[in-house]
Structures are given as C-alpha cells and as structure tokens.
Amino acid sequence: MSNRPLVTRYEGNPILTKHDVPYPVETVHNAGATKFEGRYILLFRSHLQNGRSIIGIARSDDGYNFHVDSKPFMVPPTEGVFSRFEEYGVEDPRICSIDGVYYITYSAYSRFGVRIGLAKTIDFKTVERISLISEPDMRNVVIFPETFNGRYARLDRPHSEINPWAIWLSWSSDLVHWGESEPVINPVTYHWDQMKIGPGATPIRTSDGWLNIFHGVFPTMDGSVYRLGVALHDIANPATVLGVADDWILSPEDSWELTGYVHNVVFSCGAVAEDDGTLKIYWGAADTVMCVGTARIADLVRLCRDKPRTAL
Ligand code: BMA
C-alpha cells in the first residue's frame, strides 16, 4: 500500500459552518448523508445556544457546495410521546434508503437518558417519526440498506460497565422491534480505539462485503481523540465480521479538527458511494463544522483484509 493518505481531504474544507445556516445555531456537525433525486443531502446536527441540538438539512449538486434550507428539518416536538424523549434534543442522524423510503435513525436525549428514534421521509421536505427503537443507553444506530432473508439488520452501540461501548448487531422484521443482539466489534486495549467505538456511516455495499466506517476514541492527558476506522462485514450475514482494519483511516489534523467546541474530533455519520469506485466521506470536525474527503473503496477494503486486528 502506498504512502498517500487513504482519505483525501477536500481542499475547500470546511464545507459547512454555522455562518451558512440562516437561523441561529452555534455548530454544524455530525451529518447523515445520502443522494436523493441526483442531489446530495446532509442532515446535520447543530447546537443551539442552550446547548441542546436540532437537525438541519443542506442540499448540493456536487457533494461539496451545500445550501442550507431556511428552516430546521427536525426539532424536538412539544407534544406526544416523542416530546418526552427528545426534551434534551436530537443528535447525530444517519440516513438509510430502502425501497425509496429514507429512514433516519437519531439520538433522542431526555432526562431518561439517550435512546434511538426512527423517522422516515420520502421527499426530504416532510418527516414522520415512526417509533423509539431502543431503551437507554444507546447511540449511533445505523441500519443496513438491504434486507437479509426478509429481515432488517442494524449496528448498535449499547453501553455496559463490563464491556464499554462496543459495536453490536441486531435484527428486526419490521424496523421497530429489534432483537437477537450480539457483539460484533470490541475496542482493543492500548489501541487508537481503546476507550470506545461506535457505528458511523450507514454501511456501504461493496463486491467484497459491507464497509463499516466507525469511530474510535482514545483517552489522553489532553482529553479524548476521536478518529475513524473501517471494518468489513459479510454481504449475506453482516453479523460475520471479515476484517477490522488495525489502522485508523482519519485522525484530527486540520486546525478546525484540532480545535473547536470539542477538540480533536473527526466523527462521521454518513458517506456516499460514487459510480467510479470512490466514496465521499462526510465528518463533523471538533463538533463545530462539516468536512468531506474522498477515498477509494478498494483501498479501504484492502486495509480490512490485509491489516486486520481482532474483532472481539
Ligand atoms: C460523542 C457524541 C458525538 C460527538 C463526540 C465528540 O460522545 O456526543 O456526537 O461528536 O462525542 O464530542
């Protein structure tokens, strides 16, 4: 493998900041990404000045130059069951397209903890909440964009004191009720992801397996460092992990990744695969701005296969 970086940062980064948003927000980060009717869509998280988060929407023709809609896409409702569990805000959406429906999984924060909400849209104009699909403490849920023998699969990130913040996989026949959960990737001790890992982008189908771009965290004397890593899952049964790359693929480096609302963070909730075998990976930098970079899918697959570490 050559010395060139696996992820080539776009020279126009950051691609979105709070100054691009036509309503008052303090940050623009951790965006889910997809393509809809030939255009790129980002559903991004923004902190309000009360420290709680909402979700905005930005659209682009080329995946680099985005325009933000005049109104937010999702804010916590004031009535109904969702108002109770989104009281502290909505965060870090992921978008998964299945049969023309775009499902959105997001973190719902409230006095009861953080759990996962499921919503859907077919036009990116209106959004309908479907259900809360986990108990606390759960964040970073990504749904695979295909069914497996008629069942849906998702990557989960529960927390337990004994096995902190690992990546699990669960199954469902209706997207609402999930079970048969099992751990699939653990953090590794004294490794760049030793403190915690979590699913990032919605998995990308490749000819070699599902590409899973996840985040990993390492604690230092100067706070935690968030980086991105990559793993490969079996196409027919994503609970089988074919390889987890030993090396990270992206680490905070640019000034807006090193400093901001939270220092030393690159955090992805979405990537878009292109027809030429490349991937546009979107990431939040320092919980403050949005960035994009490109990678060759074959390079990421090779890293999982040729330089793996233990999965569990
Ligand atoms: C995680 C989440 C992310 C955030 C990251 C770095 O625990 O809160 O939304 O980007 O921390 O602050």
Side-chain angles (χ1 to χ4, degrees):
M1 194 162 277
S2 77
N3 276 337
R4 77 189 155 73
L6 279 167
V7 180
T8 305
R9 286 172 165 83
Y10 173 55
E11 65 274 13
N13 279 345
I15 54 167
L16 271 183
T17 76
K18 67 174 183 175
H19 304 295
D20 300 308
V21 182
Y23 44 88
V25 294
E26 290 304 308
T27 62
V28 174
H29 61 119
N30 298 4
T34 194
K35 253 179 149 174
F36 172 67
E37 294 182 345
R39 300 187 79 199
Y40 296 78
I41 300 269
L42 292 182
L43 293 183
F44 60 86
R45 169 179 169 196
S46 286
H47 283 101
L48 302 172
Q49 273 183 358
N50 64 6
R52 295 179 180 173
S53 296
I54 61 171
I55 294 170
I57 182 166
R59 305 169 199 266
S60 165
D61 289 327
D62 62 5
Y64 298 103
N65 298 286
F66 280 87
H67 185 264
V68 179
D69 280 17
S70 59
K71 294 209 172 75
F73 190 67
M74 288 182 82
V75 297
T78 50
E79 334 184 297
V81 63
F82 291 94
S83 70
R84 192 165 178 226
F85 295 106
E86 296 180 17
E87 178 194 13
Y88 292 174
V90 286
E91 303 188 1
D92 298 5
R94 273 78 171 185
I95 309 168
C96 164
S97 145
I98 305 178
D99 299 332
V101 179
Y102 290 78
Y103 294 97
I104 301 157
T105 44
Y106 60 96
S107 301
Y109 275 81
S110 73
R111 66 188 67 195
F112 304 107
V114 54
R115 56 192 303 204
I116 297 297
L118 176 71
K120 70 174 178 183
T121 181
I122 50 169
D123 54 12
F124 286 99
K125 288 186 192 135
T126 56
V127 59
E128 183 190 331
R129 282 165 171 81
I130 300 172
S131 183
L132 288 146
I133 56 169
S134 80
E135 296 172 334
D137 176 358
M138 185 81 88
R139 285 179 46 85
N140 305 309
V141 163
V142 301
I143 298 172
F144 284 82
E146 283 178 25
T147 51
F148 305 87
N149 296 324
R151 296 203 304 164
Y152 301 95
R154 74 181 192 189
L155 296 174
D156 294 336
R157 215 291 301 278
H159 177 63
S160 99
E161 292 300 327
I162 296 170
N163 184 31
W165 295 303
I167 297 178
W168 287 55
L169 188 140
S170 306
W171 297 95
S172 173
S173 51
D174 62 4
L175 287 169
V176 172
H177 304 92
W178 294 85
E180 292 169 63
S181 307
E182 58 172 310
V184 289
I185 308 176
N186 261 355
V188 169
T189 303
Y190 213 73
H191 192 257
W192 63 268
D193 66 355
Q194 90 155 18
M195 185 178 165
K196 54 178 171 173
I197 56 173
T202 296
I204 311 285
R205 177 185 247 281
T206 78
S207 50
D208 297 274
W210 292 101
L211 204 56
N212 163 17
I213 296 171
F214 63 95
H215 66 264
V217 187
F218 189 83
T220 77
M221 294 303 288
D222 190 30
S224 305
V225 182
Y226 277 73
R227 300 186 173 97
L228 298 183
V230 70
L232 196 64
H233 298 242
D234 184 76
I235 276 292
N237 179 8
T240 301
V241 175
L242 304 176
V244 185
D246 194 49
D247 295 348
W248 67 66
I249 62 162
L250 193 77
S251 182
E253 204 173 290
D254 279 335
S255 57
W256 45 83
E257 297 166 347
L258 299 172
T259 59
Y261 189 81
V262 181
H263 295 186
N264 291 318
V265 176
V266 292
F267 192 99
S268 181
C269 295
V272 173
E274 305 290 6
D275 292 338
D276 64 359
T278 64
L279 198 57
K280 283 189 179 64
I281 304 175
Y282 294 90
W283 64 89
D287 285 5
T288 304
V289 296
M290 275 307 298
C291 296
V292 63
T294 52
R296 294 208 336 229
I297 290 172
D299 288 348
L300 301 181
V301 167
R302 200 173 308 124
L303 193 71
C304 298
R305 285 204 179 282
D306 294 356
K307 218 177 168 195
R309 51 88 151 175
T310 171
L312 287 174

